[in-house]
Amino acid sequence: MSNETFCVVMTTFSDESVGEKLIHSLLNQKLAACVQVQSIDSYYHWKGQIQSDQEKLVIIKTTTALYQAVEADILANHNYETPEIICLPIRDGYRTYLNWIRGETQSLSR
């Protein structure tokens, strides 16, 4: 079964209030069916130096049709100059779960 109409969008945040605002915005607008948050240590190059931060990884379950709206919402609510926003396709999955994602996210025809 091919389910390329579904995707996972990933972003990170370090400020709890920014994270709460971002998560609630996505869910309230039905841009995401589910948002999972995990504590991580991030190491990265930024402006010529190696940096490290304690962040939260946000895993957003949505549809590919909503990706642009999800990206715009993250950018509108994020405080990073260049936030991580990565979209990964869901190639296959448990049909009942994928139908739940479809049912819990907004339809573009609305």
Side-chain angles (χ1 to χ4, degrees), residues 23-107:
I23 292 163
H24 287 284
S25 180
L26 291 168
L27 291 171
N28 287 333
Q29 293 182 75
K30 295 189 76 74
L31 296 175
C34 174
V35 178
Q36 295 171 314
V37 180
Q38 183 176 3
S39 296
I40 60 170
D41 294 322
S42 294
Y43 300 86
Y44 53 95
H45 286 274
W46 185 249
K47 298 187 178 185
Q49 296 190 8
I50 295 176
Q51 305 287 329
S52 65
D53 285 307
Q54 291 186 330
E55 294 183 299
K56 300 289 177 100
L57 174 63
V58 182
I59 304 167
I60 303 157
K61 279 51 167 281
T62 190
T63 64
T64 55
L66 291 174
Y67 171 75
Q68 292 301 322
V70 169
E71 179 183 284
D73 196 63
I74 291 169
L75 290 172
N77 288 295
H78 217 296
N79 64 333
Y80 286 1
E81 182 179 334
T82 307
E84 172 187 356
I85 306 173
I86 298 172
C87 180
L88 304 172
I90 296 174
R91 301 248 183 248
D92 208 352
Y94 179 49
R95 184 177 302 251
T96 302
Y97 183 77
L98 298 177
N99 287 336
W100 174 78
I101 292 174
R102 181 183 290 114
E104 293 301 319
T105 53
Q106 66 173 298
S107 167

Side-chain angles (χ1 to χ4, degrees), residues 8-27:
V8 171
V9 179
M10 296 178 5
T11 191
T12 58
F13 65 85
S14 59
D15 181 311
E16 290 291 330
S17 63
V18 168
E20 287 293 316
K21 181 179 175 187
L22 191 153
I23 292 163
H24 287 284
S25 180
L26 291 168
L27 291 171

